[in-house]
Every structure is written in structure tokens, then in C-alpha cells.
Amino acid sequence: MKGLFISGSGTDVGKTFVARHIIQILNEKYTVIARKPIESDCIKTDAGLIPKDAKVLNDACTNPESIDIVCPFRFEARVSGEKASAEQGAIVCLQDLVQAVQPTNDSDFVVIEGAGGFYSPIAQQALNSDFASALGLSVVIVVKDELGAINQALLSINAVKKHKLDVVMLVLNQIIPNDLANAEALSAYTDVKIVAFKKDQIKDFNAKVLALI
């Protein structure tokens, strides 16, 4: 399988936002497909549960697929995938997730978004780290660019490396503009490529992503 696993330092750090942008960039180089195999906090409609994040990722692809392929396990509760599935009596195991993210074609480049942080529960007795390890793909870590980001970033990098996975880059997502210079400070403590996402420097971000992936 060719692709990336998108993880984060926690929830609400902008994983889906960054993943969508990465997909849009990589559409220039690859036939990109999206996978968010399990999602909680879905929108309840007459047609069923709509996975917000999975839809955003799928819509970013040049050739979007059926949402049932992109995200087969959907839950309404705003809790971990493990807890949400258990509460509904629909046990999802690690192998279910691995099977769900397989590409339609061998030539596809798969962008897979996890759920929460690298050590967040995602399936029955399985963490995102277990899922990423089972796939063996390079990892993109997303961290919210704020006070404390250096600590969050280094903890996440060490966690991924502990599982012998490659960190292709760490994205500092500057949701709120600041002058903390976290990217420069962080580069003194790790050899992982640090890429800042800033709304006024999108061209620079795009160029770095294309060079690294």
C-alpha cells in the first residue's frame, strides 16, 4: 500500500483540515483516495449517519468514492471509536479497520486519517498506534501551533518513532496567528521535518509537502 497515516497530538488540532489540504496538493502527483474508517460524532439524518470528516476528505479527492467505502463504521456519540462501537453493540476490531482502508486499485495513494491522538482508542482493545503499526505507512503528525506545542510535538514524535514508524513531517497548524516561533524552536530538538501551516503562507506549505511526499 502506498500512502500516509495522518495522526495528531489530540482532538481538535485540525487533522482533517490539514489532511484535506494535503490531499488537494497530492492530487497533482498521485491518484489519491481518502480513508477515515471509523468516525464518531456523525450527523444524524433521515438517510443515516453522515461522517463529517470523512466527507471532507473524500470531497478533496479528484475522484471521490462512495462514503460507505471511505468510512464504513459510523457512530453518533461524541466519544472514542472504541467506546462508541461498544455502546451500540457493534464491535469493531483492528483487523476490521485494516481491511476497510485497503485501496480500490494498487496504484492508488491512500490518505488515512486516524481518530484523536496517536494513543487514543480507536477499536476494540486497539489504539491509533496499533492501527498505524499494522499499516506500516509513513506518518504525518498534526499539532496545534500554540503555547505548549513543543511538548506536544516531541511527545507525539517519540511515540511514533517508538513504534518504528517513519515521521514524514510534523505540521504545526497555526489556527490562531501568533509569534511563538514554535517551528524554529522545535527544530533544535528533533530531526523530523517541521512544516508550519499558515493561511498567509499556503504556497510555501504546498511546496514543502510536494518535496517531502
Side-chain angles (χ1 to χ4, degrees):
M1 185 192 299
K2 298 182 299 183
L4 295 170
F5 186 85
I6 312 291
S7 188
S9 56
T11 57
D12 299 324
V13 297
K15 279 197 312 299
T16 303
F17 175 82
V18 171
R20 180 192 65 179
H21 203 82
I22 288 175
I23 288 172
Q24 292 171 332
I25 298 167
L26 295 183
N27 282 332
E28 299 178 19
K29 292 178 66 174
Y30 307 103
T31 301
V32 184
I33 61 172
R35 294 289 185 267
K36 171 97 175 178
I38 187 168
E39 184 169 337
S40 54
D41 194 26
C42 294
I43 301 172
K44 188 175 182 179
T45 70
D46 292 338
L49 293 175
I50 304 299
K52 302 185 294 292
D53 294 348
K55 187 177 186 307
V56 166
L57 300 181
N58 192 38
D59 289 347
C61 298
T62 302
N63 297 303
E65 299 176 290
S66 165
I67 199 65
D68 292 332
I69 294 175
V70 177
C71 184
F73 304 108
R74 306 192 284 266
F75 304 98
E76 185 178 2
R78 195 174 192 273
V79 293
S80 72
E82 179 186 42
K83 183 174 176 60
S85 59
E87 287 180 348
Q88 292 191 22
I91 302 302
V92 180
C93 67
L94 179 59
Q95 189 55 40
D96 292 326
L97 299 184
V98 173
Q99 185 61 38
V101 300
Q102 297 305 308
T104 305
N105 302 297
D106 291 340
S107 59
D108 291 339
F109 188 95
V110 191
V111 174
I112 302 165
E113 184 184 328
F118 194 65
Y119 282 144
S120 295
I122 192 170
Q124 185 181 28
Q125 295 185 319
L127 306 176
N128 277 262
S129 56
D130 299 313
F131 185 27
S133 295
L135 298 173
L137 296 175
S138 294
V139 178
V140 173
I141 301 172
V142 181
V143 177
K144 185 178 178 181
D145 190 5
E146 61 183 356
L147 190 64
I150 295 173
N151 175 65
Q152 296 168 31
L154 293 176
L155 285 172
S156 298
I157 289 170
N158 288 341
V160 174
K161 287 188 172 183
K162 180 181 177 181
H163 289 267
K164 297 180 170 42
L165 295 171
D166 173 55
V167 183
V168 67
M169 65 179 173
L170 184 139
V171 177
L172 278 175
N173 185 22
Q174 194 173 104
I175 298 173
I176 300 175
N178 64 67
D179 298 315
L180 294 171
N182 281 324
E184 293 80 358
L186 186 56
S187 63
Y189 298 98
T190 180
D191 58 355
V192 168
K193 297 295 184 183
I194 311 299
V195 182
F197 187 95
K198 301 179 181 180
K199 292 180 180 178
D200 60 345
Q201 297 179 20
I202 291 179
K203 287 186 178 180
D204 181 61
F205 179 81
N206 294 356
K208 288 178 179 178
V209 168
L210 283 172
L212 289 170
I213 303 173

